[in-house]
Amino acid sequence: MEPEDRGRRMGRPGTPAITLAAPQRESLVVDIARQLLSQLLDGHLRPGTRLPSERQLSESLGVGRSTVREALKALDVLGIIEVRQGDGTYLTRGTSSLLPSAIEWGLMLGQPQVLDLIEARRHIEVIIAELAAERANAEDVAELRTHLAEMRAAPDAAAFVEADIAFHLALANAAGNSVLSDILGSIRSLLRVWIRRAIHEAGETQTTIAEHAAVLAAVERHSPSAAGAAMRGHMDAAGGRLHRSLQDEDSGTQGAES
């Protein structure tokens, strides 16, 4: 197969065409998995759709079938696809229910859709903190204190993550803007994945607790500028922890391939 033929739309009668580009410098497995996930998130495939065969994908990309098989296995583990022995590979769920699993896989792969969500969350959280500092009443502040206390007393990572999410959702409620609150609530899966990975990378929770405490203190003082600055600092620090975790995983993946 000539190089220019690679990346063409592959398919056969009764199967969807998937456009894939030839892998460049990254791990072949990671690159193929990223491209497959991107296609599945486009929303043009229905649950139950049969995907092109390993052979077709292998020929299209100019890589071995074992590499394609490993990429499909990763998506199979996440429940995004189902590999039926002797029958083929099928998409198991629709786009909306794919999102939580796609976030977990997409974060590791640097999926553009997920990175866009992260960027949006940063700006939304800063606005929410500023509005909460303007509008929070005594009950709002008391709820934020409760969730911060739950973070401090969390017996394990799972409990900490849930208390952390509850803090951010309570802050959004205190902001008094239903649209912003709904937006933050709709990306709860992103929050859960982000927080879990960030605290795992940090290896401790005290830094995150201190960042939340700074936001709460600014809200208590009813200082929008201080609250916005504190939240911006938290988002930047948490984002840094997240990206370090992604780099660590990517290095480990590439090392395993070498």
Short mmCIF file of all heavy atoms in Angstrom, two decimals, residues 132-162:
data_model
loop_
_atom_site.label_atom_id
_atom_site.label_comp_id
_atom_site.label_asym_id
_atom_site.label_seq_id
_atom_site.Cartn_x
_atom_site.Cartn_y
_atom_site.Cartn_z
N ALA A 132 -20.67 34.20 43.67
CA ALA A 132 -20.97 33.67 45.00
C ALA A 132 -20.52 34.64 46.08
O ALA A 132 -21.21 34.81 47.10
CB ALA A 132 -20.30 32.31 45.19
N ALA A 133 -19.38 35.27 45.86
CA ALA A 133 -18.90 36.25 46.84
C ALA A 133 -19.84 37.44 46.95
O ALA A 133 -20.00 38.03 48.02
CB ALA A 133 -17.49 36.71 46.47
N GLU A 134 -20.50 37.78 45.86
CA GLU A 134 -21.47 38.89 45.87
C GLU A 134 -22.78 38.49 46.53
O GLU A 134 -23.40 39.29 47.23
CB GLU A 134 -21.75 39.34 44.44
CG GLU A 134 -20.64 40.09 43.74
CD GLU A 134 -21.05 40.50 42.33
OE1 GLU A 134 -22.24 40.33 41.99
OE2 GLU A 134 -20.19 40.99 41.59
N ARG A 135 -23.22 37.24 46.30
CA ARG A 135 -24.61 36.88 46.58
C ARG A 135 -24.81 35.86 47.70
O ARG A 135 -25.95 35.65 48.13
CB ARG A 135 -25.24 36.33 45.29
CG ARG A 135 -25.21 37.31 44.14
CD ARG A 135 -25.65 36.66 42.84
NE ARG A 135 -25.64 37.60 41.73
CZ ARG A 135 -25.89 37.28 40.46
NH1 ARG A 135 -26.17 36.01 40.16
NH2 ARG A 135 -25.86 38.20 39.51
N ALA A 136 -23.76 35.22 48.16
CA ALA A 136 -23.93 34.15 49.14
C ALA A 136 -24.55 34.68 50.43
O ALA A 136 -24.15 35.72 50.95
CB ALA A 136 -22.58 33.50 49.44
N ASN A 137 -25.53 33.92 50.95
CA ASN A 137 -26.11 34.27 52.24
C ASN A 137 -25.50 33.37 53.32
O ASN A 137 -24.63 32.54 53.04
CB ASN A 137 -27.64 34.14 52.21
CG ASN A 137 -28.10 32.75 51.79
OD1 ASN A 137 -27.45 31.75 52.11
ND2 ASN A 137 -29.22 32.69 51.06
N ALA A 138 -26.00 33.51 54.53
CA ALA A 138 -25.42 32.77 55.65
C ALA A 138 -25.57 31.25 55.46
O ALA A 138 -24.66 30.48 55.80
CB ALA A 138 -26.08 33.19 56.96
N GLU A 139 -26.70 30.82 54.90
CA GLU A 139 -26.91 29.39 54.67
C GLU A 139 -25.93 28.85 53.62
O GLU A 139 -25.42 27.72 53.76
CB GLU A 139 -28.35 29.14 54.23
CG GLU A 139 -29.37 29.37 55.32
CD GLU A 139 -30.78 29.06 54.85
OE1 GLU A 139 -30.94 28.67 53.67
OE2 GLU A 139 -31.71 29.21 55.65
N ASP A 140 -25.69 29.64 52.59
CA ASP A 140 -24.74 29.22 51.55
C ASP A 140 -23.35 29.03 52.14
O ASP A 140 -22.67 28.04 51.86
CB ASP A 140 -24.69 30.27 50.44
CG ASP A 140 -25.99 30.38 49.67
OD1 ASP A 140 -26.69 29.37 49.52
OD2 ASP A 140 -26.29 31.50 49.21
N VAL A 141 -22.94 30.00 52.95
CA VAL A 141 -21.61 29.93 53.56
C VAL A 141 -21.51 28.72 54.49
O VAL A 141 -20.50 28.01 54.51
CB VAL A 141 -21.29 31.23 54.33
CG1 VAL A 141 -20.01 31.07 55.14
CG2 VAL A 141 -21.16 32.40 53.36
N ALA A 142 -22.58 28.47 55.24
CA ALA A 142 -22.59 27.32 56.15
C ALA A 142 -22.45 26.01 55.38
O ALA A 142 -21.73 25.08 55.81
CB ALA A 142 -23.87 27.31 56.97
N GLU A 143 -23.11 25.91 54.23
CA GLU A 143 -23.01 24.69 53.42
C GLU A 143 -21.60 24.52 52.88
O GLU A 143 -21.06 23.40 52.86
CB GLU A 143 -24.01 24.72 52.27
CG GLU A 143 -24.02 23.43 51.46
CD GLU A 143 -25.10 23.39 50.39
OE1 GLU A 143 -25.85 24.37 50.27
OE2 GLU A 143 -25.16 22.38 49.67
N LEU A 144 -21.00 25.60 52.43
CA LEU A 144 -19.62 25.52 51.93
C LEU A 144 -18.67 25.08 53.04
O LEU A 144 -17.77 24.26 52.82
CB LEU A 144 -19.18 26.87 51.38
CG LEU A 144 -19.85 27.29 50.06
CD1 LEU A 144 -19.55 28.76 49.75
CD2 LEU A 144 -19.37 26.41 48.91
N ARG A 145 -18.88 25.58 54.26
CA ARG A 145 -18.05 25.17 55.40
C ARG A 145 -18.21 23.68 55.66
O ARG A 145 -17.23 22.97 55.97
CB ARG A 145 -18.44 25.96 56.63
CG ARG A 145 -18.00 27.42 56.64
CD ARG A 145 -18.56 28.13 57.84
NE ARG A 145 -18.18 29.54 57.91
CZ ARG A 145 -18.80 30.44 58.67
NH1 ARG A 145 -19.83 30.06 59.43
NH2 ARG A 145 -18.39 31.69 58.68
N THR A 146 -19.45 23.20 55.55
CA THR A 146 -19.72 21.78 55.78
C THR A 146 -18.96 20.91 54.81
O THR A 146 -18.33 19.91 55.19
CB THR A 146 -21.23 21.49 55.66
OG1 THR A 146 -21.92 22.19 56.70
CG2 THR A 146 -21.51 20.00 55.78
N HIS A 147 -19.01 21.28 53.52
CA HIS A 147 -18.32 20.46 52.52
C HIS A 147 -16.80 20.53 52.67
O HIS A 147 -16.11 19.54 52.43
CB HIS A 147 -18.75 20.90 51.11
CG HIS A 147 -20.19 20.65 50.82
ND1 HIS A 147 -20.79 19.45 51.10
CD2 HIS A 147 -21.15 21.45 50.29
CE1 HIS A 147 -22.07 19.51 50.75
NE2 HIS A 147 -22.31 20.70 50.26
N LEU A 148 -16.29 21.69 53.07
CA LEU A 148 -14.86 21.79 53.31
C LEU A 148 -14.46 20.90 54.49
O LEU A 148 -13.41 20.24 54.45
CB LEU A 148 -14.47 23.25 53.58
CG LEU A 148 -12.97 23.52 53.74
CD1 LEU A 148 -12.20 23.13 52.48
CD2 LEU A 148 -12.72 25.00 54.08
N ALA A 149 -15.30 20.88 55.52
CA ALA A 149 -15.03 20.01 56.67
C ALA A 149 -15.07 18.53 56.25
O ALA A 149 -14.28 17.71 56.74
CB ALA A 149 -16.06 20.26 57.77
N GLU A 150 -15.99 18.20 55.35
CA GLU A 150 -16.06 16.83 54.85
C GLU A 150 -14.80 16.47 54.08
O GLU A 150 -14.33 15.31 54.14
CB GLU A 150 -17.29 16.66 53.95
CG GLU A 150 -18.61 16.74 54.70
CD GLU A 150 -19.82 16.81 53.77
OE1 GLU A 150 -19.62 17.09 52.57
OE2 GLU A 150 -20.93 16.61 54.26
N MET A 151 -14.25 17.41 53.33
CA MET A 151 -13.00 17.16 52.63
C MET A 151 -11.88 16.88 53.62
O MET A 151 -11.08 15.95 53.42
CB MET A 151 -12.64 18.36 51.74
CG MET A 151 -13.56 18.57 50.55
SD MET A 151 -13.26 20.14 49.67
CE MET A 151 -11.62 19.85 49.02
N ARG A 152 -11.83 17.66 54.69
CA ARG A 152 -10.78 17.47 55.70
C ARG A 152 -10.90 16.13 56.42
O ARG A 152 -9.91 15.52 56.79
CB ARG A 152 -10.83 18.61 56.72
CG ARG A 152 -10.39 19.97 56.17
CD ARG A 152 -10.23 20.98 57.30
NE ARG A 152 -9.63 22.22 56.84
CZ ARG A 152 -10.25 23.39 56.79
NH1 ARG A 152 -11.53 23.47 57.16
NH2 ARG A 152 -9.63 24.46 56.36
N ALA A 153 -12.15 15.69 56.61
CA ALA A 153 -12.39 14.46 57.38
C ALA A 153 -12.56 13.23 56.50
O ALA A 153 -12.80 12.14 57.02
CB ALA A 153 -13.63 14.65 58.25
N ALA A 154 -12.44 13.38 55.19
CA ALA A 154 -12.68 12.25 54.28
C ALA A 154 -11.79 11.06 54.62
O ALA A 154 -10.57 11.20 54.73
CB ALA A 154 -12.45 12.68 52.84
N PRO A 155 -12.40 9.87 54.78
CA PRO A 155 -11.62 8.68 55.15
C PRO A 155 -10.84 8.07 53.99
O PRO A 155 -9.92 7.28 54.20
CB PRO A 155 -12.68 7.71 55.67
CG PRO A 155 -13.91 8.09 54.89
CD PRO A 155 -13.84 9.59 54.75
N ASP A 156 -11.23 8.41 52.77
CA ASP A 156 -10.55 7.84 51.61
C ASP A 156 -10.70 8.80 50.43
O ASP A 156 -11.39 9.82 50.51
CB ASP A 156 -11.11 6.46 51.26
CG ASP A 156 -12.62 6.45 51.12
OD1 ASP A 156 -13.19 7.44 50.58
OD2 ASP A 156 -13.25 5.47 51.54
N ALA A 157 -10.05 8.44 49.31
CA ALA A 157 -10.04 9.30 48.13
C ALA A 157 -11.44 9.48 47.56
O ALA A 157 -11.80 10.58 47.12
CB ALA A 157 -9.10 8.74 47.07
N ALA A 158 -12.23 8.41 47.54
CA ALA A 158 -13.57 8.50 46.96
C ALA A 158 -14.44 9.50 47.71
O ALA A 158 -15.15 10.31 47.10
CB ALA A 158 -14.23 7.11 46.97
N ALA A 159 -14.38 9.45 49.05
CA ALA A 159 -15.16 10.39 49.86
C ALA A 159 -14.66 11.82 49.66
O ALA A 159 -15.46 12.77 49.63
CB ALA A 159 -15.09 9.99 51.33
N PHE A 160 -13.35 11.96 49.52
CA PHE A 160 -12.79 13.30 49.30
C PHE A 160 -13.28 13.88 47.98
O PHE A 160 -13.67 15.05 47.91
CB PHE A 160 -11.26 13.23 49.29
CG PHE A 160 -10.60 14.58 49.13
CD1 PHE A 160 -10.27 15.34 50.23
CD2 PHE A 160 -10.31 15.09 47.86
CE1 PHE A 160 -9.67 16.58 50.09
CE2 PHE A 160 -9.72 16.33 47.71
CZ PHE A 160 -9.40 17.08 48.83
N VAL A 161 -13.27 13.08 46.94
CA VAL A 161 -13.71 13.54 45.62
C VAL A 161 -15.16 14.00 45.67
O VAL A 161 -15.51 15.06 45.13
CB VAL A 161 -13.53 12.42 44.56
CG1 VAL A 161 -14.23 12.81 43.26
CG2 VAL A 161 -12.05 12.17 44.30
N GLU A 162 -16.03 13.23 46.33
CA GLU A 162 -17.44 13.60 46.40
C GLU A 162 -17.64 14.88 47.20
O GLU A 162 -18.48 15.72 46.83
CB GLU A 162 -18.26 12.45 47.00
CG GLU A 162 -18.30 11.20 46.14
CD GLU A 162 -18.73 11.48 44.71
OE1 GLU A 162 -19.73 12.20 44.50
OE2 GLU A 162 -18.05 10.98 43.78
#
